């Protein structure tokens, strides 16, 4: 990811598109809950806070915003704690 960030950005875009399509299909089939876990964004898995922040900026933040649009009175999007903490730690979200 450090050596070829543009390449990784293309991979993340494709991956995100595929996961969102799967989530949309689950919603269309009547899923009440859609769970998303992205532990690769956690500091203890990425190795450094800088790399975790890069992961959030390159993929997680925009992906979670898009996935959140699927939430409504029938479907809830659940985030794993590591994803939530990565977003909080980079200042991309806050708890109200």
């Amino acid at each position: 990811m450090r050596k070829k960030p543009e390449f990784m950005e293309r991979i993340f875009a494709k991956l995100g598109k595929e996961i969102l399509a799967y989530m949309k299909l689950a919603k269309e089939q009547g899923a009440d809950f859609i769970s998303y876990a992205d532990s690769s964004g956690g500091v203890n898995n990425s190795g450094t806070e800088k790399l975790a922040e890069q992961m959030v900026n390159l993929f997680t933040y925009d992906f979670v915003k898009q996935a959140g649009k699927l939430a409504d009175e029938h479907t809830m999007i659940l985030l794993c704690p590591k994803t939530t903490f990565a977003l909080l730690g980079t200042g991309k979200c806050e708890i109200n």
Side-chain angles (χ1 to χ4, degrees):
M1 195 158 108
R2 290 179 184 161
K3 293 182 181 182
K4 296 184 179 182
E6 300 83 17
F7 178 68
M8 290 307 300
E9 191 170 356
R10 290 196 317 269
I11 289 174
F12 289 143
K14 182 169 179 50
L15 179 64
K17 183 178 174 182
E18 295 296 323
I19 295 171
L20 283 170
Y22 180 75
M23 291 171 119
K24 288 176 187 175
L25 181 60
K27 180 180 171 119
E28 290 169 5
Q29 297 299 313
D32 295 322
F33 302 100
I34 299 173
S35 180
Y36 176 72
D38 180 8
S39 61
S40 62
V43 173
N44 60 344
N45 288 340
S46 299
T48 67
E49 288 184 33
K50 185 175 181 176
L51 193 53
E53 183 175 8
Q54 185 179 11
M55 184 70 180
V56 167
N57 290 330
L58 210 70
F59 177 73
T60 308
Y61 177 66
D62 288 329
F63 175 81
V64 169
K65 283 191 341 184
Q66 292 177 42
K69 293 176 185 175
L70 296 172
D72 59 22
E73 66 275 3
H74 303 289
T75 306
M76 181 183 289
I77 307 298
L78 306 171
L79 292 180
C80 80
K82 282 190 177 192
T83 302
T84 304
F85 287 133
L87 292 165
L88 286 167
T90 56
K92 295 293 186 180
C93 72
E94 60 183 39
I95 296 176
N96 293 321

